[in-house]
Amino acid sequence: QVQLVESGGGFVQPGGSLRLSCTSSQFTFRYYDMNWYRQAPGKGRELVATITRFDSTNYSDPVRGRFTISRDDAENSVSLQMNNLKPEDTAVYFCNAQSVNKKYIYWGQGTQVTVSS
């Protein structure tokens, strides 16, 4: 089963930064749109950021201006730089890959991000 591997989560104080990374050796990233989702305790999974196969990006309103998604297809990786973190950013963050027409969808196991003073 194809799986994405996330890293970079952790504990940070409000206003701090974290960088999440996601990689896989099981498929070729450049043919996929890549996404970061998050799920806070007691809430549903929400889309945070997207970078398409053509490097077009989009962000949810709560993170726009603070988070930056990027990809390195040569390294088969995608990253999420998170700055000015807030307690409401606390969640498990999941990496997601979607092929054209969503024929193939892959998920990572998630990485915990906790923002607290």
Side-chain angles (χ1 to χ4, degrees):
Q1 183 173 348
V2 176
Q3 194 164 35
L4 297 161
V5 179
E6 300 108 335
S7 61
F11 181 94
V12 65
Q13 292 185 337
S17 297
L18 284 173
R19 185 177 180 86
L20 306 182
S21 295
C22 170
T23 188
S24 178
S25 61
Q26 296 174 285
F27 66 99
T28 303
F29 272 39
R30 68 175 179 267
Y31 300 122
Y32 289 74
D33 295 338
M34 302 300 297
N35 306 287
W36 285 97
Y37 285 77
R38 68 185 181 186
Q39 187 166 16
K43 296 188 177 181
R45 194 171 295 190
E46 65 171 340
L47 179 61
V48 173
T50 295
I51 186 165
T52 71
R53 295 166 290 142
F54 310 109
D55 283 336
S56 176
T57 59
N58 195 31
Y59 300 91
S60 66
D61 287 343
V63 309
R64 186 174 292 112
R66 300 188 296 121
F67 290 12
T68 302
I69 188 171
S70 60
R71 64 190 298 157
D72 184 342
D73 290 336
E75 296 292 328
N76 239 33
S77 68
V78 63
S79 297
L80 184 69
Q81 177 67 41
M82 306 185 295
N83 297 329
N84 190 22
L85 283 160
K86 304 176 181 181
E88 52 263 43
D89 295 317
T90 295
V92 178
Y93 284 71
F94 297 89
C95 182
N96 166 272
Q98 298 185 15
S99 65
V100 174
N101 296 326
K102 297 182 173 55
K103 182 176 181 180
Y104 301 103
I105 299 176
Y106 305 130
W107 288 94
Q109 80 287 354
T111 185
Q112 177 70 47
V113 171
T114 302
V115 185
S116 176
S117 55

